Amino acid sequence: MRRLKEVVGLFAVAALAGGCSAQTGNGQASQQASRPECVQLEETLPPTATMEGQAGEYALTLVATGGDSAGRAVSGGMWLHRQEEALRQYTVPGADPDPGLTVPLYGTADIDLDAVGAVHAGELGSLDPTQPGAMVLERRGEAEGRTFAEILVRLGAAGNRRDVLAFDGAYMVLWLRSESPEGFAGDWRSGVSGRESRGYFCAVRVGDGAP
């Protein structure tokens, strides 16, 4: 699991718990820290979890629990597409290939990250599969005698470049705690140069089309 944390730029920080369902928004912020349709959960992603086959349109809600904008929430959209076959295997620059690390989906997002104190790690609207606005990273394997699954969604085209591995710079990452055909949910972390914000999120499937 350590390698995946390095890949996504989390710098080995601990995650918060989260889970929810949400309604579609247009990047408009709310002052509420918790909404009935988006609540924190205490659960661990099961080893069978996967985002394979879950391309589609999602209503995305971010709720901030830490940072300068703690207590705020914002809603927007995310559109995920099946990754091209040649780009499904994710290789860390300068490292041996990890057969358990894949990119099943990529896409774009439209959400006001500033509203919850999150930072931008590049364009959210990039549909370039080699540096998309949203990238789903999935890893499964075995550690300490147990199987596990880790699924992350990394936002920002600059942070999703496949030809470099950034050890510093801006990052915005969604860390899944649950997933189903109806959507997925978990924690988020974002930061740059000592500034960090965090919270929980939910993404509810609202359609199968592209923006």
Side-chain angles (χ1 to χ4, degrees), residues 143-197:
E144 299 177 352
R146 65 179 182 87
T147 58
F148 68 88
E150 269 190 317
I151 305 176
L152 308 172
V153 183
R154 200 164 56 186
L155 298 181
N160 286 332
R161 290 180 56 185
R162 300 175 71 107
D163 58 340
V164 296
L165 176 60
F167 289 97
D168 54 15
Y171 62 94
M172 174 58 185
V173 180
L174 314 180
W175 190 302
L176 272 65
R177 289 280 185 172
S178 65
E179 63 79 27
S180 74
E182 290 73 40
F184 52 96
D187 323 316
W188 64 266
R189 285 272 175 129
S190 182
V192 64
S193 301
R195 168 191 169 194
E196 185 180 75
S197 54

Side-chain angles (χ1 to χ4, degrees), residues 24-81:
T24 305
N26 294 309
Q28 296 178 348
S30 167
Q31 300 298 321
Q32 290 181 290
S34 180
R35 301 175 178 180
E37 69 273 15
C38 192
V39 298
Q40 286 188 292
L41 300 177
E42 295 286 344
E43 62 183 79
T44 302
L45 196 67
T48 56
T50 182
M51 288 291 288
E52 294 283 357
Q54 295 203 37
E57 178 183 359
Y58 292 84
L60 175 64
T61 296
L62 303 174
V63 181
T65 60
D68 294 340
S69 297
R72 297 192 176 202
V74 66
S75 294
M78 180 183 293
W79 296 265
L80 298 176
H81 310 266

